[in-house]
Amino acid sequence: MKVVVIAGGQGTRIASLNNEIPKAMIPINGKPILEYEVEMAKRYGYTDFLFVIGHMGDQIEHHFGDGQKWGVNIEYYKEEKPLGTAGALGYLKERLTEDFFVFYGDTVMDIDMCAMLEYHKNKQADATLFLHPNDHPYDSDIVDLEMNGRIKKFCNKPHKDGFVSHNMVNAALFIFSPKILDLVEVGIKSHIEKHVLPACLEKGLKLYGYVSFEYIKDMGTPDRYYSVCDDVTSGKVARLNRKYIRPAIFLDRDGVISKEVNLLCKPEQMELIEGVGEAIRYINQKGYLAIVVTNQPVIARNLCSLEELDYIHAKLETLLGHEHAYLNAIYYCPHHPDSGYPEERKEYKIKCDCRKPAPGMLLRAAKDWNIDMSQSYMIGDRDSDVRAGENAGCKASFKIEMNKSNALLDVLKTII
Ligand SMILES: [Zn+2]
């Protein structure tokens, strides 16, 4: 399977460097970004590269040659004129006859490529996009997913006032089937995100979002450059790879993050408790996953549909996004054991293993995201939350006062 690296584009002057270089050759600790990418792919057994290079591409070719020095094989496609991130793909149809990865040359990342490919194959996707939440979704291009991970639509910035969505952003790492190439116009300047992917959706191709919290960042600005250098040096980039276990903070929703309303079932009832944005941002910055685990018997009671609940959670993520904070995942139990309500949905009136104090949601999250329970915490406002944390094997569980300003942040500061 080939790895196509888009390394054309404009050159850049960055950091203390005086001469113009292609972005892919920006050094971190003396080594070009593109070299980190080559080494990462090689670690996962991908050794066939196709570099798309532009007007300063000679520097790239001079450095990498045929790739032998790295134990890989590198071919080149040289653009005569800049064709955007997608334009060159139109010329590569004969060379790309099976599914392939696409990297941008200025991306610093450490991703379990095999896990992403496995997802792509399981979904039988025509394209898989690497997605993650970020701390500024309101001015990012958002990807709207169905609950099974299939991409519904792209909501590109700028967003209108009152825009509500899950916090899911394209991180610019892809797996494409050759079918995608048919939608690239040969010789015309175009971009993957702006032109090709929307055209794929229109044609009814199967696009899926692969969600992961591994490290992936591009070199947008000098400030970003310095922070990425620090992350490489400190080992953060490698440490967030999926193969390493990570700690999490599990959070109850109502009364802890959002104001407790009896049986919340309308988006306009969703409001953050004061100080929660700062608290979740604190979790994000400390390198813990922020994971909501919430009992939502409103589904079993038929007060709200799964789609409506999903929209309520999109509203929650939007409110947090405005405060530069994000949740990594939301798990909910739609069940309720007691039947007898006239309007209830029988299929959810069961005794399940996910309704807290049962640990089902926490255990499922642990499996999904490779969480180290012995270093994780549960925070709620009821005894059932504390018991769920204990039942799941959390390091400790805490009960805070319902709807109290800054209660979450105060307890977080005592534990992490
Ligand atoms: Zn349940």
Side-chain angles (χ1 to χ4, degrees):
M1 187 166 166
K2 276 203 169 78
V3 178
V4 175
V5 183
I6 311 291
Q10 300 299 313
T12 186
R13 288 171 205 272
I14 198 155
S16 52
L17 298 163
N18 287 322
N19 16 357
E20 210 181 356
I21 58 167
K23 276 192 183 165
M25 292 301 287
I26 296 170
I28 294 181
N29 295 338
K31 191 158 83 177
I33 296 173
L34 180 51
E35 196 171 325
Y36 287 93
E37 292 186 329
V38 168
E39 289 173 349
M40 179 188 83
K42 168 109 193 297
R43 278 201 298 281
Y44 289 100
Y46 303 102
T47 55
D48 253 339
F49 292 85
L50 178 49
F51 287 180
V52 175
I53 54 176
H55 84 285
M56 283 177 306
D58 298 349
Q59 295 179 46
I60 295 174
E61 217 171 337
H62 182 251
H63 183 83
F64 288 95
D66 63 4
Q68 206 181 9
K69 192 174 153 194
W70 289 268
V72 301
N73 171 47
I74 301 173
E75 294 171 41
Y76 296 86
Y77 175 81
K78 190 163 187 175
E79 289 181 328
E80 300 297 325
K81 55 177 183 176
L83 287 173
T85 54
L89 294 176
Y91 290 107
L92 300 174
K93 283 180 196 169
E94 273 96 67
R95 293 159 83 172
L96 297 169
T97 51
E98 53 175 27
D99 290 7
F100 55 97
F101 277 95
V102 176
F103 294 179
Y104 288 148
D106 62 342
T107 307
V108 174
M109 59 184 163
D110 193 327
I111 307 295
D112 182 341
M113 294 171 66
C114 296
M116 184 172 171
L117 180 61
E118 193 185 322
Y119 175 90
H120 174 78
K121 285 183 173 165
N122 285 342
K123 296 291 186 188
Q124 299 183 309
D126 296 315
T128 296
L129 283 64
F130 187 103
L131 307 179
H132 58 187
N134 76 9
D135 62 5
H136 54 97
Y138 49 84
D139 65 1
S140 302
D141 293 337
I142 297 288
V143 182
D144 193 7
L145 299 178
E146 289 173 20
M147 282 190 275
N148 67 0
R150 186 157 176 179
I151 294 173
K152 224 187 310 184
K153 64 174 190 278
F154 296 103
C155 308
N156 291 339
K157 60 189 179 186
H159 303 295
K160 292 195 177 111
D161 284 351
F163 174 69
V164 169
S165 76
H166 285 287
N167 181 344
M168 213 31 89
V169 177
N170 172 20
L173 165 63
F174 313 94
I175 302 174
F176 287 163
S177 105
K179 278 189 200 171
I180 303 294
L181 302 175
D182 294 335
L183 297 171
V184 180
E185 283 187 82
V186 178
I188 308 272
K189 186 170 182 174
S190 67
H191 291 279
I192 290 175
E193 288 90 345
K194 228 193 286 176
H195 306 110
V196 178
L197 294 175
C200 290
L201 273 192
E202 231 164 82
K203 285 272 179 214
L205 294 189
K206 286 185 289 179
L207 273 53
Y208 278 85
Y210 172 73
V211 180
S212 170
F213 312 121
E214 295 165 296
Y215 193 98
I216 178 163
K217 272 188 190 165
D218 67 67
M219 291 295 167
T221 62
D223 274 355
R224 250 174 121 94
Y225 172 72
Y226 289 116
S227 93
V228 169
C229 287
D230 286 348
D231 292 342
V232 171
T233 309
S234 71
K236 184 177 175 186
V237 176
R239 197 167 60 240
L240 296 184
N241 187 289
R242 226 194 119 73
K243 71 181 173 209
Y244 298 115
I245 47 175
R246 292 178 64 170
I249 306 290
F250 294 101
L251 301 160
D252 178 40
R253 194 191 80 181
D254 302 295
V256 173
I257 298 176
S258 57
K259 289 184 188 157
E260 167 78 37
V261 180
N262 191 29
L263 299 171
L264 188 154
C265 57
K266 296 198 164 50
E268 57 272 23
Q269 295 172 305
M270 170 55 73
E271 280 182 71
L272 296 182
I273 296 167
E274 200 185 320
V276 156
E278 193 184 343
I280 306 246
R281 200 159 66 234
Y282 185 75
I283 297 172
N284 300 151
Q285 286 164 354
K286 287 282 178 180
Y288 283 71
L289 299 176
I291 296 185
V292 167
V293 285
T294 175
N295 288 349
Q296 290 301 325
V298 287
I299 300 294
R301 294 272 301 265
N302 205 14
L303 299 173
C304 142
S305 68
L306 291 176
E307 289 71 27
E308 285 164 335
L309 182 60
D310 189 58
Y311 188 81
I312 288 166
H313 288 156
K315 169 97 184 279
L316 170 61
E317 292 181 28
T318 302
L319 294 173
L320 287 170
H322 286 292
E323 304 215 24
H324 306 283
Y326 58 86
L327 299 170
N328 294 92
I330 299 176
Y331 291 81
Y332 58 84
C333 163
H335 309 110
H336 196 274
D338 308 326
S339 48
Y341 300 93
E343 70 288 2
E344 70 192 13
R345 293 178 68 172
K346 290 266 180 284
E347 68 273 33
Y348 293 114
K349 284 290 184 182
I350 56 165
K351 194 170 173 347
C352 62
D353 65 358
C354 49
R355 183 173 164 82
K356 293 176 291 184
M361 291 187 279
L362 291 87
L363 297 179
R364 190 147 54 90
K367 189 161 170 270
D368 290 347
W369 309 112
N370 204 11
I371 291 170
D372 180 359
M373 293 305 259
S374 72
Q375 296 304 318
S376 299
Y377 301 89
M378 170 76 212
I379 303 172
D381 62 350
R382 291 171 195 260
D383 292 334
S384 57
D385 294 319
V386 171
R387 282 181 11 241
E390 289 165 357
N391 289 337
C394 287
K395 185 173 183 182
S397 300
F398 299 87
K399 185 172 152 183
I400 59 174
E401 198 179 320
M402 180 190 292
N403 286 355
K404 190 178 171 216
S405 300
N406 297 313
L408 181 56
L409 185 61
D410 289 346
V411 69
L412 284 168
K413 288 199 166 162
T414 66
I415 54 179
I416 60 173

